[in-house]
Amino acid sequence: MKEIILIKLGEMVLKGLNRRTFEDVLIKNIKYRLRGLGQFEIKIAQSTISVVPQSEDIDLDEVCERIGEVFGIVTYSRACVCEKDFDDILAKAPLYVADALADAKTFKVESKRSDIKVESKRSDKRFPYKSPEISAQVGGKILSAFPRLKVDVKNPDVTVTVEVRDYAAYIRCGVMRGQGGMPVGTSGLATVLISGGIDSPVAAYMMAKRGLKLNAVHFESPPYTSERARMKVEKLLKQVSRYAGSIEMHTVPLTKIQETIRDRCPEELFTILLRRVMMKISSRIAESTGSGALITGESLGQVASQTMAALGCTDAAATKLVMRPLIGMDKQEIINISRRIDTFETSIEPYEDCCTVFTPKHPRTKPVLRFVESAEREAQLDEMIEEAIANTTVKRIEA
Ligand code: ATP
Ligand code: MG
């Protein structure tokens, strides 16, 4: 029996965007995500994408898991394909639903006709059945194949759906919820500042969900930060790329700049100065890669460098729009997302981050931009910033 996957797109999203672009990008992203699993025919009709495996040996559980990670998909389901022929539907239904009904006591059959001929009120002479009749007959067939089952239209254990479309009919048992959001790439490219913490991978996920393709900047300070710390960040990006597609990671050496700020600037301004350097370098990398914005995992009041005054000083150093999707979220809410997208366990591995090197005992929580800028001038960082950019390494991270 031929089994395929049917994917439903959100109508709401389709209205606001150029529909064709949205669909084309989504199909491209699905193809990319399914690479390595076998050959598929992927096509779209009536706002539904069908993914048709081209051989028997393809692992559809794995296909479903991956489709469940692609942004732009509202729901998806496995379905059995039938000829648009009542005998074929009646013959296949009991066989196809057998597994799904194995542990069920009750079921119901729902039918719908989504063929254009019916929608335009012209009846299709080849298939002159109305939905209630389809449901009744298919239900009857299933009951006679599994006499232990009962029909329960209000609260069934399993709902079997028969959908008659233009060129075929489909039988499915239950739908799965997709990630929602918009296909990665439909909103452009943005640059996430990624640390090894809990917050920035979540921020990356959230903005990719709004259709942004990502590249990433990571700052390291060897020997204060280790190779292991960088590998942890790569692992986090790899997990994010399950949702966001491939990510170009730019790793920037910050040791010399950090030592210079430590030696030449007031201790209480150390963190804010460091964050401004991160913004300056990330803005430059964004500019050179065609990225339109920076993304950070900052959340108001979480630490001294994330007070309103501190964020204002940080922002002033960026020459790109800064997106902070976590700004109004509690830590627990952020952790809940990080568990769901499976970055949490990696994020809590105990490796140092350059932000925790030379941290001041009493960081200024209300820094004044004027004073921060003057301390920055004293430090004479411009040449070191150029050097750090020149020594940046680039690596492509893929799921
Ligand atoms: P996270 O939990 O993501 O590590 P955090 O709680 O450590 O964040 P900060 O250290 O203040 O908070 O960092 C705030 C934001 O700055 C991070 O979410 C990230 O976007 C960026 N950032 C921090 N450290 C780095 C780094 N080493 N490389 C790149 N970006 C960084
Ligand atoms: Mg944080």
Side-chain angles (χ1 to χ4, degrees):
M1 221 173 320
K2 190 166 164 189
E3 198 175 23
I4 68 164
I5 292 163
L6 289 177
I7 295 172
K8 302 273 180 186
L9 312 185
E11 294 292 331
M12 296 300 288
V13 178
L14 289 178
K15 273 185 207 145
L17 275 171
N18 180 322
R19 183 184 181 123
R20 266 303 290 275
T21 312
F22 182 101
E23 291 171 351
D24 289 350
V25 175
L26 179 55
I27 289 174
K28 193 178 99 227
N29 292 352
I30 293 170
K31 281 187 181 151
Y32 172 77
R33 201 62 189 88
L34 297 184
R35 77 204 189 290
L37 294 182
Q39 294 292 320
F40 300 90
E41 188 193 20
I42 300 180
K43 50 193 180 178
I44 183 154
Q46 301 170 265
S47 292
T48 301
I49 293 175
S50 47
V51 176
V52 184
Q54 302 293 293
S55 61
E56 299 272 304
D57 58 342
I58 290 175
D59 179 355
L60 283 190
D61 290 334
E62 177 70 22
V63 172
C64 282
E65 191 177 328
R66 293 197 190 180
I67 285 174
E69 293 166 345
V70 175
F71 291 128
I73 294 172
V74 176
T75 60
Y76 59 103
S77 51
R78 292 167 80 135
C80 160
V81 186
C82 304
E83 306 275 320
K84 203 167 166 179
D85 170 275
F86 215 172
D87 289 338
D88 195 43
I89 296 171
L90 291 173
K92 283 177 179 160
L95 299 174
Y96 182 66
V97 302
D99 282 349
L101 288 172
D103 298 322
K105 294 194 173 68
T106 58
F107 78 104
K108 76 168 171 183
V109 179
E110 262 177 11
S111 303
K112 61 177 168 217
R113 297 207 53 176
S114 347
D115 29 5
I116 287 165
K117 288 202 172 84
V118 169
E119 278 172 6
S120 64
K121 302 274 189 285
R122 276 187 285 134
S123 64
D124 183 346
K125 292 206 176 57
R126 292 181 306 133
F127 197 85
Y129 308 99
K130 295 217 164 74
S131 303
E133 185 179 359
I134 303 170
S135 301
Q137 292 228 28
V138 172
K141 260 280 186 228
I142 293 174
L143 273 179
S144 51
F146 309 100
R148 64 179 175 82
L149 289 173
K150 285 202 167 55
V151 173
D152 180 347
V153 289
K154 283 223 175 78
N155 202 6
D157 294 337
V158 175
T159 300
V160 176
T161 306
V162 180
E163 185 173 353
V164 181
R165 298 173 66 85
D166 282 348
Y167 300 106
Y170 302 90
I171 303 167
R172 47 195 158 83
C173 306
V175 294
M176 289 165 275
R177 190 175 286 279
Q179 291 290 327
M182 304 204 280
V184 167
T186 53
S187 296
L189 174 71
T191 302
V192 60
L193 281 71
I194 187 99
S195 67
I198 295 168
D199 303 329
S200 44
V202 172
Y205 166 87
M206 286 175 69
M207 295 322 298
K209 183 169 181 172
R210 298 310 300 160
L212 285 172
K213 175 144 185 70
L214 304 177
N215 58 19
V217 177
H218 174 63
F219 296 95
E220 62 174 13
S221 295
Y224 306 106
T225 63
S226 64
E227 183 68 23
R228 300 288 292 275
R230 188 209 301 196
M231 281 160 60
K232 172 186 174 182
V233 174
E234 287 181 15
K235 195 169 151 193
L236 285 169
L237 282 179
K238 205 176 164 86
Q239 181 60 19
V240 171
S241 74
R242 294 180 71 100
Y243 306 94
S246 71
I247 299 171
E248 199 176 74
M249 173 182 174
H250 298 248
T251 304
V252 186
L254 218 52
T255 316
K256 202 163 152 192
I257 292 175
Q258 284 194 267
E259 287 174 343
T260 306
I261 297 176
R262 177 196 60 187
D263 295 342
R264 297 185 188 166
C265 301
E267 190 196 335
E268 64 276 14
L269 293 182
F270 176 85
T271 310
I272 197 73
L273 289 169
L274 180 66
R275 304 212 45 82
R276 283 175 55 88
V277 169
M278 288 185 172
M279 287 295 172
K280 287 184 183 185
I281 294 176
S282 302
S283 296
R284 289 275 299 275
I285 291 174
E287 186 60 36
S288 69
T289 54
S291 149
L294 306 181
I295 300 167
T296 76
E298 290 159 315
S299 165
L300 187 65
Q302 194 188 70
V303 287
S305 60
Q306 294 172 27
T307 62
M308 187 158 62
L311 289 172
C313 290
T314 308
D315 227 46
T319 56
K320 291 279 169 188
L321 166 68
V322 183
M323 295 178 171
R324 297 184 170 91
L326 313 186
I327 195 72
M329 289 171 75
D330 289 348
K331 195 74 187 184
Q332 192 56 49
E333 294 173 304
I334 300 168
I335 289 174
N336 292 347
I337 300 178
S338 87
R339 284 191 195 279
R340 181 163 58 76
I341 65 172
D342 215 5
T343 51
F344 183 74
E345 293 301 327
T346 307
S347 288
I348 60 173
E349 286 173 12
Y351 296 109
E352 61 296 316
D353 180 63
C354 71
C355 275
T356 56
V357 176
F358 316 140
T359 39
K361 277 193 206 73
H362 303 290
R364 185 68 42 92
T365 53
K366 287 187 183 162
V368 176
L369 185 58
R370 210 155 27 99
F371 299 134
V372 172
E373 284 174 341
S374 111
E376 198 171 75
R377 275 192 296 276
E378 297 279 303
Q380 297 183 316
L381 300 171
D382 290 354
E383 227 168 83
M384 280 174 253
I385 288 178
E386 296 305 323
E387 201 182 321
I389 293 171
N391 289 326
T392 295
T393 55
V394 182
K395 183 172 180 178
R396 192 183 166 84
I397 311 284
E398 290 185 90

